[in-house]
Amino acid sequence: MTQLHITQPQEVPAAFEAAWNDHDMASFGALFHDDATFVNRFGHYVRGVEDIVGLHAPIHASIYSDSRLQNDLIDVNILSNDAAIVHFWSRLTAGEAHPAGPHAVDTLILAVLTKDGDAWQIKALENVTLTNPRTGESVLRGQEDDPGAVS
């Protein structure tokens, strides 16, 4: 598996984006600790880097083969010398390979990182689709006054 060397927690969104956009599942898997957990935007939970890659490899070979991500760091919360929480926006742009055709989806990602030696990796990640709480419809950031507001 590809070895990444992330020296600062704020590097994770860009590394995640690069691995996704290259459709490089070895680099994608290298972002995670061996026993990491991942919850995708549909609420599917997996544990272990093998299962995380196993969840993503088939979609990168099919419906997301021409997809692109754009990640934007929101914040980094350093908990200790070897633990941090990172929040970032992620816009997935699906292409012609997706059954629904080209479209975009915004999600908010929360990643818990831990440091092993001088490198940071993801210990847990949860991805939540941005939706209008009144209708349940997916929305894109900036297209509604406050799509995250609870009614």
Side-chain angles (χ1 to χ4, degrees), residues 75-111:
D75 63 23
V76 176
N77 184 357
I78 302 294
L79 303 176
S80 69
N81 289 336
D82 60 358
I85 297 170
V86 176
H87 289 95
F88 56 99
W89 288 113
S90 187
R91 176 163 290 171
L92 169 69
T93 303
E96 293 291 338
H98 197 282
H103 65 282
V105 176
D106 278 345
T107 63
L108 176 62
I109 295 179
L110 178 152

mmCIF file of all heavy atoms in Angstrom, residues 75-111:
data_model
loop_
_atom_site.group_PDB
_atom_site.id
_atom_site.type_symbol
_atom_site.label_atom_id
_atom_site.label_comp_id
_atom_site.label_asym_id
_atom_site.label_seq_id
_atom_site.Cartn_x
_atom_site.Cartn_y
_atom_site.Cartn_z
ATOM 1 N N ASP A 75 -11.945 23.568 9.775
ATOM 2 C CA ASP A 75 -11.158 23.818 10.978
ATOM 3 C C ASP A 75 -10.386 22.586 11.410
ATOM 4 O O ASP A 75 -10.638 21.479 10.951
ATOM 5 C CB ASP A 75 -12.030 24.337 12.139
ATOM 6 C CG ASP A 75 -13.086 23.358 12.619
ATOM 7 O OD1 ASP A 75 -12.946 22.130 12.417
ATOM 8 O OD2 ASP A 75 -14.073 23.801 13.210
ATOM 9 N N VAL A 76 -9.416 22.841 12.266
ATOM 10 C CA VAL A 76 -8.614 21.790 12.896
ATOM 11 C C VAL A 76 -8.668 22.038 14.386
ATOM 12 O O VAL A 76 -8.407 23.154 14.847
ATOM 13 C CB VAL A 76 -7.153 21.816 12.417
ATOM 14 C CG1 VAL A 76 -6.319 20.779 13.159
ATOM 15 C CG2 VAL A 76 -7.070 21.604 10.914
ATOM 16 N N ASN A 77 -9.024 21.024 15.132
ATOM 17 C CA ASN A 77 -9.062 21.104 16.590
ATOM 18 C C ASN A 77 -7.997 20.146 17.123
ATOM 19 O O ASN A 77 -8.186 18.924 17.081
ATOM 20 C CB ASN A 77 -10.457 20.730 17.103
ATOM 21 C CG ASN A 77 -10.608 20.887 18.589
ATOM 22 O OD1 ASN A 77 -9.668 21.234 19.289
ATOM 23 N ND2 ASN A 77 -11.802 20.610 19.080
ATOM 24 N N ILE A 78 -6.898 20.685 17.592
ATOM 25 C CA ILE A 78 -5.817 19.866 18.142
ATOM 26 C C ILE A 78 -6.216 19.467 19.562
ATOM 27 O O ILE A 78 -6.401 20.323 20.425
ATOM 28 C CB ILE A 78 -4.485 20.633 18.153
ATOM 29 C CG1 ILE A 78 -4.115 21.092 16.740
ATOM 30 C CG2 ILE A 78 -3.380 19.800 18.791
ATOM 31 C CD1 ILE A 78 -3.811 19.979 15.766
ATOM 32 N N LEU A 79 -6.346 18.178 19.802
ATOM 33 C CA LEU A 79 -6.736 17.668 21.117
ATOM 34 C C LEU A 79 -5.531 17.396 22.003
ATOM 35 O O LEU A 79 -5.609 17.540 23.215
ATOM 36 C CB LEU A 79 -7.557 16.390 20.962
ATOM 37 C CG LEU A 79 -8.827 16.511 20.111
ATOM 38 C CD1 LEU A 79 -9.480 15.145 19.953
ATOM 39 C CD2 LEU A 79 -9.792 17.500 20.732
ATOM 40 N N SER A 80 -4.443 16.984 21.378
ATOM 41 C CA SER A 80 -3.203 16.687 22.105
ATOM 42 C C SER A 80 -2.078 16.657 21.081
ATOM 43 O O SER A 80 -2.315 16.926 19.900
ATOM 44 C CB SER A 80 -3.314 15.344 22.842
ATOM 45 O OG SER A 80 -3.350 14.272 21.910
ATOM 46 N N ASN A 81 -0.893 16.280 21.504
ATOM 47 C CA ASN A 81 0.233 16.192 20.576
ATOM 48 C C ASN A 81 0.039 15.128 19.509
ATOM 49 O O ASN A 81 0.712 15.139 18.485
ATOM 50 C CB ASN A 81 1.537 15.911 21.325
ATOM 51 C CG ASN A 81 1.990 17.112 22.115
ATOM 52 O OD1 ASN A 81 1.643 18.243 21.806
ATOM 53 N ND2 ASN A 81 2.771 16.862 23.157
ATOM 54 N N ASP A 82 -0.884 14.181 19.778
ATOM 55 C CA ASP A 82 -1.069 13.082 18.823
ATOM 56 C C ASP A 82 -2.534 12.793 18.487
ATOM 57 O O ASP A 82 -2.865 11.698 18.044
ATOM 58 C CB ASP A 82 -0.377 11.825 19.333
ATOM 59 C CG ASP A 82 -0.909 11.357 20.673
ATOM 60 O OD1 ASP A 82 -1.792 12.016 21.252
ATOM 61 O OD2 ASP A 82 -0.428 10.304 21.144
ATOM 62 N N ALA A 83 -3.412 13.788 18.645
ATOM 63 C CA ALA A 83 -4.819 13.609 18.290
ATOM 64 C C ALA A 83 -5.414 14.947 17.835
ATOM 65 O O ALA A 83 -5.137 15.994 18.430
ATOM 66 C CB ALA A 83 -5.616 13.059 19.462
ATOM 67 N N ALA A 84 -6.218 14.884 16.779
ATOM 68 C CA ALA A 84 -6.855 16.094 16.249
ATOM 69 C C ALA A 84 -8.161 15.728 15.568
ATOM 70 O O ALA A 84 -8.350 14.587 15.122
ATOM 71 C CB ALA A 84 -5.928 16.789 15.252
ATOM 72 N N ILE A 85 -9.041 16.713 15.496
ATOM 73 C CA ILE A 85 -10.289 16.578 14.755
ATOM 74 C C ILE A 85 -10.232 17.587 13.616
ATOM 75 O O ILE A 85 -9.891 18.755 13.823
ATOM 76 C CB ILE A 85 -11.507 16.862 15.647
ATOM 77 C CG1 ILE A 85 -11.584 15.834 16.778
ATOM 78 C CG2 ILE A 85 -12.795 16.848 14.823
ATOM 79 C CD1 ILE A 85 -12.612 16.169 17.842
ATOM 80 N N VAL A 86 -10.545 17.124 12.415
ATOM 81 C CA VAL A 86 -10.552 17.981 11.238
ATOM 82 C C VAL A 86 -11.948 17.942 10.624
ATOM 83 O O VAL A 86 -12.519 16.869 10.448
ATOM 84 C CB VAL A 86 -9.507 17.511 10.195
ATOM 85 C CG1 VAL A 86 -9.582 18.348 8.930
ATOM 86 C CG2 VAL A 86 -8.106 17.549 10.787
ATOM 87 N N HIS A 87 -12.490 19.118 10.332
ATOM 88 C CA HIS A 87 -13.744 19.237 9.587
ATOM 89 C C HIS A 87 -13.426 19.837 8.230
ATOM 90 O O HIS A 87 -12.641 20.785 8.148
ATOM 91 C CB HIS A 87 -14.738 20.176 10.293
ATOM 92 C CG HIS A 87 -15.311 19.621 11.547
ATOM 93 N ND1 HIS A 87 -14.779 19.890 12.779
ATOM 94 C CD2 HIS A 87 -16.385 18.819 11.754
ATOM 95 C CE1 HIS A 87 -15.488 19.283 13.707
ATOM 96 N NE2 HIS A 87 -16.470 18.617 13.116
ATOM 97 N N PHE A 88 -14.044 19.295 7.174
ATOM 98 C CA PHE A 88 -13.885 19.910 5.862
ATOM 99 C C PHE A 88 -15.102 19.653 4.986
ATOM 100 O O PHE A 88 -15.781 18.650 5.124
ATOM 101 C CB PHE A 88 -12.591 19.484 5.160
ATOM 102 C CG PHE A 88 -12.361 18.008 4.949
ATOM 103 C CD1 PHE A 88 -12.629 17.412 3.722
ATOM 104 C CD2 PHE A 88 -11.814 17.226 5.954
ATOM 105 C CE1 PHE A 88 -12.365 16.063 3.507
ATOM 106 C CE2 PHE A 88 -11.539 15.876 5.751
ATOM 107 C CZ PHE A 88 -11.824 15.294 4.519
ATOM 108 N N TRP A 89 -15.385 20.657 4.129
ATOM 109 C CA TRP A 89 -16.427 20.512 3.127
ATOM 110 C C TRP A 89 -15.861 19.688 1.988
ATOM 111 O O TRP A 89 -14.678 19.794 1.663
ATOM 112 C CB TRP A 89 -16.852 21.868 2.563
ATOM 113 C CG TRP A 89 -17.637 22.714 3.497
ATOM 114 C CD1 TRP A 89 -17.247 23.900 4.060
ATOM 115 C CD2 TRP A 89 -18.964 22.474 3.970
ATOM 116 N NE1 TRP A 89 -18.245 24.399 4.858
ATOM 117 C CE2 TRP A 89 -19.319 23.537 4.820
ATOM 118 C CE3 TRP A 89 -19.890 21.452 3.763
ATOM 119 C CZ2 TRP A 89 -20.549 23.625 5.455
ATOM 120 C CZ3 TRP A 89 -21.117 21.535 4.399
ATOM 121 C CH2 TRP A 89 -21.438 22.601 5.226
ATOM 122 N N SER A 90 -16.726 18.904 1.367
ATOM 123 C CA SER A 90 -16.313 18.130 0.215
ATOM 124 C C SER A 90 -17.411 18.205 -0.846
ATOM 125 O O SER A 90 -18.562 17.861 -0.566
ATOM 126 C CB SER A 90 -16.077 16.673 0.628
ATOM 127 O OG SER A 90 -15.535 15.943 -0.434
ATOM 128 N N ARG A 91 -17.055 18.696 -2.018
ATOM 129 C CA ARG A 91 -18.006 18.704 -3.127
ATOM 130 C C ARG A 91 -17.616 17.599 -4.098
ATOM 131 O O ARG A 91 -16.540 17.615 -4.685
ATOM 132 C CB ARG A 91 -18.036 20.039 -3.858
ATOM 133 C CG ARG A 91 -18.986 19.980 -5.080
ATOM 134 C CD ARG A 91 -19.381 21.324 -5.586
ATOM 135 N NE ARG A 91 -20.275 21.960 -4.626
ATOM 136 C CZ ARG A 91 -20.664 23.227 -4.711
ATOM 137 N NH1 ARG A 91 -20.237 23.988 -5.715
ATOM 138 N NH2 ARG A 91 -21.463 23.745 -3.803
ATOM 139 N N LEU A 92 -18.506 16.635 -4.242
ATOM 140 C CA LEU A 92 -18.342 15.548 -5.202
ATOM 141 C C LEU A 92 -19.064 15.941 -6.477
ATOM 142 O O LEU A 92 -20.259 16.257 -6.442
ATOM 143 C CB LEU A 92 -18.944 14.250 -4.652
ATOM 144 C CG LEU A 92 -19.073 13.097 -5.643
ATOM 145 C CD1 LEU A 92 -17.700 12.567 -6.009
ATOM 146 C CD2 LEU A 92 -19.946 12.003 -5.073
ATOM 147 N N THR A 93 -18.346 15.939 -7.575
ATOM 148 C CA THR A 93 -18.964 16.167 -8.877
ATOM 149 C C THR A 93 -18.890 14.858 -9.641
ATOM 150 O O THR A 93 -17.802 14.396 -10.007
ATOM 151 C CB THR A 93 -18.244 17.291 -9.644
ATOM 152 O OG1 THR A 93 -18.255 18.469 -8.832
ATOM 153 C CG2 THR A 93 -18.943 17.580 -10.963
ATOM 154 N N ALA A 94 -20.063 14.250 -9.813
ATOM 155 C CA ALA A 94 -20.155 12.993 -10.559
ATOM 156 C C ALA A 94 -20.236 13.318 -12.045
ATOM 157 O O ALA A 94 -20.743 14.375 -12.432
ATOM 158 C CB ALA A 94 -21.380 12.202 -10.111
ATOM 159 N N GLY A 95 -19.758 12.407 -12.856
ATOM 160 C CA GLY A 95 -19.756 12.617 -14.299
ATOM 161 C C GLY A 95 -20.749 11.726 -15.017
ATOM 162 O O GLY A 95 -21.704 11.207 -14.421
ATOM 163 N N GLU A 96 -20.490 11.514 -16.275
ATOM 164 C CA GLU A 96 -21.372 10.711 -17.134
ATOM 165 C C GLU A 96 -21.472 9.254 -16.679
ATOM 166 O O GLU A 96 -22.464 8.584 -16.974
ATOM 167 C CB GLU A 96 -20.879 10.755 -18.589
ATOM 168 C CG GLU A 96 -20.989 12.111 -19.239
ATOM 169 C CD GLU A 96 -22.433 12.542 -19.497
ATOM 170 O OE1 GLU A 96 -23.331 11.683 -19.561
ATOM 171 O OE2 GLU A 96 -22.651 13.763 -19.603
ATOM 172 N N ALA A 97 -20.465 8.755 -15.971
ATOM 173 C CA ALA A 97 -20.488 7.356 -15.539
ATOM 174 C C ALA A 97 -21.557 7.085 -14.486
ATOM 175 O O ALA A 97 -21.972 5.940 -14.301
ATOM 176 C CB ALA A 97 -19.117 6.950 -14.996
ATOM 177 N N HIS A 98 -22.019 8.101 -13.806
ATOM 178 C CA HIS A 98 -23.029 7.922 -12.755
ATOM 179 C C HIS A 98 -24.403 7.708 -13.390
ATOM 180 O O HIS A 98 -24.761 8.394 -14.344
ATOM 181 C CB HIS A 98 -23.050 9.141 -11.827
ATOM 182 C CG HIS A 98 -23.746 8.871 -10.538
ATOM 183 N ND1 HIS A 98 -25.121 8.847 -10.429
ATOM 184 C CD2 HIS A 98 -23.264 8.586 -9.314
ATOM 185 C CE1 HIS A 98 -25.454 8.567 -9.183
ATOM 186 N NE2 HIS A 98 -24.333 8.400 -8.489
ATOM 187 N N PRO A 99 -25.188 6.754 -12.877
ATOM 188 C CA PRO A 99 -26.526 6.499 -13.446
ATOM 189 C C PRO A 99 -27.427 7.739 -13.465
ATOM 190 O O PRO A 99 -28.279 7.865 -14.344
ATOM 191 C CB PRO A 99 -27.116 5.424 -12.530
ATOM 192 C CG PRO A 99 -25.940 4.760 -11.921
ATOM 193 C CD PRO A 99 -24.867 5.821 -11.811
ATOM 194 N N ALA A 100 -27.243 8.656 -12.519
ATOM 195 C CA ALA A 100 -28.041 9.880 -12.492
ATOM 196 C C ALA A 100 -27.447 10.967 -13.392
ATOM 197 O O ALA A 100 -27.989 12.065 -13.464
ATOM 198 C CB ALA A 100 -28.168 10.396 -11.062
ATOM 199 N N GLY A 101 -26.339 10.662 -14.039
ATOM 200 C CA GLY A 101 -25.688 11.647 -14.892
ATOM 201 C C GLY A 101 -24.884 12.644 -14.084
ATOM 202 O O GLY A 101 -24.770 12.527 -12.859
ATOM 203 N N PRO A 102 -24.327 13.629 -14.753
ATOM 204 C CA PRO A 102 -23.518 14.624 -14.059
ATOM 205 C C PRO A 102 -24.333 15.400 -13.022
ATOM 206 O O PRO A 102 -25.453 15.834 -13.298
ATOM 207 C CB PRO A 102 -23.056 15.562 -15.185
ATOM 208 C CG PRO A 102 -23.147 14.736 -16.429
ATOM 209 C CD PRO A 102 -24.319 13.831 -16.205
ATOM 210 N N HIS A 103 -23.779 15.505 -11.842
ATOM 211 C CA HIS A 103 -24.408 16.263 -10.762
ATOM 212 C C HIS A 103 -23.376 16.476 -9.656
ATOM 213 O O HIS A 103 -22.321 15.859 -9.670
ATOM 214 C CB HIS A 103 -25.651 15.548 -10.206
ATOM 215 C CG HIS A 103 -25.352 14.250 -9.545
ATOM 216 N ND1 HIS A 103 -25.106 13.087 -10.245
ATOM 217 C CD2 HIS A 103 -25.245 13.927 -8.227
ATOM 218 C CE1 HIS A 103 -24.868 12.092 -9.396
ATOM 219 N NE2 HIS A 103 -24.933 12.574 -8.161
ATOM 220 N N ALA A 104 -23.709 17.357 -8.713
ATOM 221 C CA ALA A 104 -22.810 17.644 -7.598
ATOM 222 C C ALA A 104 -23.518 17.385 -6.277
ATOM 223 O O ALA A 104 -24.738 17.540 -6.177
ATOM 224 C CB ALA A 104 -22.324 19.087 -7.666
ATOM 225 N N VAL A 105 -22.743 16.977 -5.287
ATOM 226 C CA VAL A 105 -23.237 16.722 -3.934
ATOM 227 C C VAL A 105 -22.230 17.328 -2.961
ATOM 228 O O VAL A 105 -21.026 17.129 -3.112
ATOM 229 C CB VAL A 105 -23.363 15.204 -3.653
ATOM 230 C CG1 VAL A 105 -23.785 14.945 -2.221
ATOM 231 C CG2 VAL A 105 -24.315 14.538 -4.629
ATOM 232 N N ASP A 106 -22.734 18.065 -1.985
ATOM 233 C CA ASP A 106 -21.871 18.598 -0.932
ATOM 234 C C ASP A 106 -22.022 17.757 0.326
ATOM 235 O O ASP A 106 -23.139 17.390 0.707
ATOM 236 C CB ASP A 106 -22.243 20.043 -0.590
ATOM 237 C CG ASP A 106 -21.631 21.046 -1.544
ATOM 238 O OD1 ASP A 106 -20.698 20.686 -2.289
ATOM 239 O OD2 ASP A 106 -22.081 22.206 -1.542
ATOM 240 N N THR A 107 -20.895 17.477 0.946
ATOM 241 C CA THR A 107 -20.910 16.774 2.222
ATOM 242 C C THR A 107 -19.993 17.500 3.197
ATOM 243 O O THR A 107 -19.098 18.252 2.797
ATOM 244 C CB THR A 107 -20.453 15.299 2.092
ATOM 245 O OG1 THR A 107 -19.105 15.255 1.662
ATOM 246 C CG2 THR A 107 -21.340 14.526 1.135
ATOM 247 N N LEU A 108 -20.236 17.243 4.461
ATOM 248 C CA LEU A 108 -19.388 17.729 5.535
ATOM 249 C C LEU A 108 -18.691 16.508 6.118
ATOM 250 O O LEU A 108 -19.352 15.524 6.475
ATOM 251 C CB LEU A 108 -20.214 18.430 6.608
ATOM 252 C CG LEU A 108 -19.462 18.913 7.843
ATOM 253 C CD1 LEU A 108 -18.409 19.940 7.484
ATOM 254 C CD2 LEU A 108 -20.445 19.487 8.848
ATOM 255 N N ILE A 109 -17.381 16.563 6.184
ATOM 256 C CA ILE A 109 -16.595 15.431 6.683
ATOM 257 C C ILE A 109 -15.975 15.788 8.019
ATOM 258 O O ILE A 109 -15.405 16.873 8.183
ATOM 259 C CB ILE A 109 -15.510 15.020 5.671
ATOM 260 C CG1 ILE A 109 -16.184 14.489 4.395
ATOM 261 C CG2 ILE A 109 -14.554 13.988 6.270
ATOM 262 C CD1 ILE A 109 -15.227 14.077 3.302
ATOM 263 N N LEU A 110 -16.117 14.886 8.977
ATOM 264 C CA LEU A 110 -15.453 14.968 10.273
ATOM 265 C C LEU A 110 -14.455 13.824 10.310
ATOM 266 O O LEU A 110 -14.835 12.665 10.114
ATOM 267 C CB LEU A 110 -16.463 14.829 11.410
ATOM 268 C CG LEU A 110 -15.894 14.856 12.827
ATOM 269 C CD1 LEU A 110 -16.938 15.396 13.786
ATOM 270 C CD2 LEU A 110 -15.410 13.504 13.293
ATOM 271 N N ALA A 111 -13.191 14.149 10.520
ATOM 272 C CA ALA A 111 -12.153 13.128 10.596
ATOM 273 C C ALA A 111 -11.401 13.262 11.918
ATOM 274 O O ALA A 111 -10.998 14.364 12.295
ATOM 275 C CB ALA A 111 -11.176 13.269 9.431
#
